[in-house]
Amino acid sequence: MVTLDLRHVASPAVRDLLHLVNHPDFDRTQQQIEHLGGCTEPIRLTGRTTTVSTTTGEVLRSYAASDEPTGSLLTACGNRRASRCPACSRLYAADTYHLIRAGLSGGKTVPDTVRTHPRVFATLTAPSFGPVHNRPDARPCRCGTRHELTDPLLGTPLNPATYDYAGAVLFNAHAGALWARFTTYLRRELATRLGLTQKTARSVLRVSFAKVAEYQKRGLVHFHAVIRLDGPNGSTQPPPSYATDAVLTDAIRAAAPRARISVASDAVGERQLGWGQQLDVREIAAFGAETEFTDQAVAAYVAKYATKSADASGTLDHALFCRPCQGRGATLLPHGTPLPCTACDGTGQARPLPRLAVARHVRQMIRTCWELGKLPEFAELKLWKWAHMLGFRGHFSTKSRRYSTTLGTLRAARRAWRTEQARSHAGLPEHDPDTTLVIGHWAYQGSGYSPGAALLAAHVWHRRELERRFVAEGGCG
């Protein structure tokens, strides 16, 4: 009889998995991984929490991460990037969908009457910084070729030597400020078209919005935005009857060209940054209307781009440089692994740009961030820190205060529901928050799984994806 010792033939991940499976508390380890839903890079925390009665001082319940089989508590990373964590990315997209949809159709504390408010879907694009390879309708590209959809040349400059890389990076860096300036001019244009002073317009009208940023193939961001008109108190009040979709559309088209930002530098000269000429504004129809451009379709479209982010541009999904560290020798943590600062040598002296596995056009955008980041006049743009985002330093998903609910509220409701489910499953009594005090102390230990646990997490994600597709395709029916 021959006995096979798997420790000598299996990979380290399989050996670690066998060790986990044979652990006495494997069920608890599997429960933690299942709870994360397939998160690929969870956060490991150490610490403890204690629930105490404020009336008697009795300890009602206590929990310590050291009691876990792994010695730590695993929590989901929450990364919105699909390239980094598909599971958390899908959850982020779902939350964004409900946030956008609530502002269009009601729900999540937003009244259903909001669907009668004027609302449009607007796309503001970046200007041209030089001709690029593209797929124009019914004719070849300027280079004389009809490009396929997957052609890596799409979005890259026809002549990299004359392409305005400095202008492209500076546009990305100022895109958030341009949006803020656009909203200011939008309110002014609305007041003008309604024959009101700006003060009077503010007393009867409010502009609410939710937007996401998307990267074009040329590495420049543009914004997709749901823009809605409300009464002065927000979604609970309709705007005046004379504030219509047509007025809103006209005001957007007038405000976009007015939004400009001046940038001056001896290195790049004086520039006027603004939006591109391609401006798309469409009225959003109610759900059930005989059109594809409904509130449900818009919410799904916006949610998709909230997680897609920079993936389509071929750029990096993790930071390259410290802030810069200014001689403090700061470290980076891409993929959870500490690395020396690539921006300086620990004394504040800049290092050469490292070799990057990205397309030449993206590499040149990053190199431009690197060079402009050395100039004191652009220090506030933090171009070294945001070089992996090609200079863009804004949030990918933002909204005005009164548009609808918040991502934080949605996450808090999910946490409360999960806590209640766990409490009920464990048979624990319900505690009155007015008579109990929760005392906790937690510290960051690291991120990621052991090799064997990573295999279990991949299995959880794969199984849930199959279940999701099964339901989406109608199940057994």
Side-chain angles (χ1 to χ4, degrees), residues 85-390:
C85 183
C88 291
S89 165
R90 185 176 295 281
L91 193 60
Y92 186 98
D95 285 347
T96 302
Y97 171 82
H98 288 294
L99 184 151
I100 299 293
R101 181 74 186 276
L104 292 172
S105 305
K108 312 295 183 185
T109 72
V110 179
D112 295 344
T113 53
V114 75
R115 67 184 62 188
T116 64
H117 295 199
R119 68 264 177 92
V120 298
F121 184 64
T123 299
L124 284 78
T125 62
S128 172
F129 295 100
V132 298
H133 294 275
N134 59 8
R135 302 181 73 249
D137 296 334
R139 65 184 189 276
C141 174
R142 294 185 185 182
C143 68
T145 303
R146 289 186 181 273
H147 298 287
E148 299 294 333
L149 282 171
T150 57
D151 193 335
L153 283 177
L154 286 175
T156 62
L158 292 175
N159 186 357
T162 60
Y163 190 78
D164 185 8
Y165 279 101
V169 165
L170 290 174
F171 172 83
N172 279 350
H174 289 88
L178 269 176
W179 171 263
R181 192 154 298 187
F182 160 74
T183 59
T184 298
Y185 281 115
L186 174 58
R187 295 180 179 94
R188 294 177 182 177
E189 292 292 341
L190 282 168
T192 299
R193 279 154 178 73
L194 297 176
L196 305 172
T197 64
Q198 293 183 43
K199 182 177 180 180
T200 303
R202 286 195 298 270
S203 68
V204 299
L205 191 69
R206 176 183 289 270
V207 176
S208 299
F209 67 84
K211 70 173 177 65
V212 295
E214 180 202 357
Y215 273 84
Q216 298 171 301
K217 289 184 180 296
R218 53 185 176 143
L220 295 169
V221 294
H222 62 199
F223 291 134
H224 301 291
V226 174
I227 305 177
R228 190 186 70 213
L229 294 182
D230 300 326
N233 292 330
S235 60
T236 58
Q237 279 185 311
S241 58
Y242 49 79
T244 63
D245 292 281
V247 171
L248 176 58
T249 299
D250 190 37
I252 291 172
R253 295 191 180 280
R258 293 187 62 187
R260 312 285 291 180
I261 290 180
S262 298
V263 177
S265 167
D266 292 339
V268 300
E270 186 172 349
R271 298 168 182 266
Q272 290 287 323
L273 301 175
W275 300 110
Q277 295 182 353
Q278 293 182 342
L279 172 65
D280 186 40
V281 186
R282 304 187 192 184
E283 181 180 346
I284 302 173
F287 177 69
E290 294 184 0
T291 174
E292 295 183 358
F293 212 73
T294 64
D295 46 13
Q296 184 179 23
V298 169
Y301 184 79
V302 172
K304 178 182 72 172
Y305 283 108
T307 56
K308 183 181 178 183
S309 67
D311 296 342
S313 71
T315 188
L316 301 173
D317 60 3
H318 59 274
L320 276 175
F321 313 118
C322 66
R323 49 191 167 193
C325 73
Q326 299 177 349
R328 288 187 289 271
T331 59
L332 308 177
L333 293 172
H335 304 294
T337 305
L339 291 176
C341 174
T342 54
C344 79
D345 58 7
T347 64
Q349 298 299 315
R351 288 179 174 174
L353 187 69
R355 294 182 62 86
L356 303 171
V358 294
R360 180 182 300 176
H361 175 59
V362 172
R363 188 183 303 114
Q364 184 58 45
M365 290 278 285
I366 294 175
R367 183 178 291 112
T368 303
C369 289
W370 181 236
E371 296 301 327
L372 293 179
K374 298 176 182 178
L375 303 177
E377 58 265 39
F378 296 133
E380 65 178 12
L381 299 180
K382 301 180 180 179
L383 292 174
W384 282 10
K385 178 180 179 180
W386 299 108
H388 66 295
M389 299 309 298
L390 311 187

Side-chain angles (χ1 to χ4, degrees), residues 2 18 111 138 152 173 212 227 246 267 379 384 419 452 455 459:
V2 178
L18 291 173
V212 295
I227 305 177
W384 282 10
T419 300
L455 291 179
H459 171 71

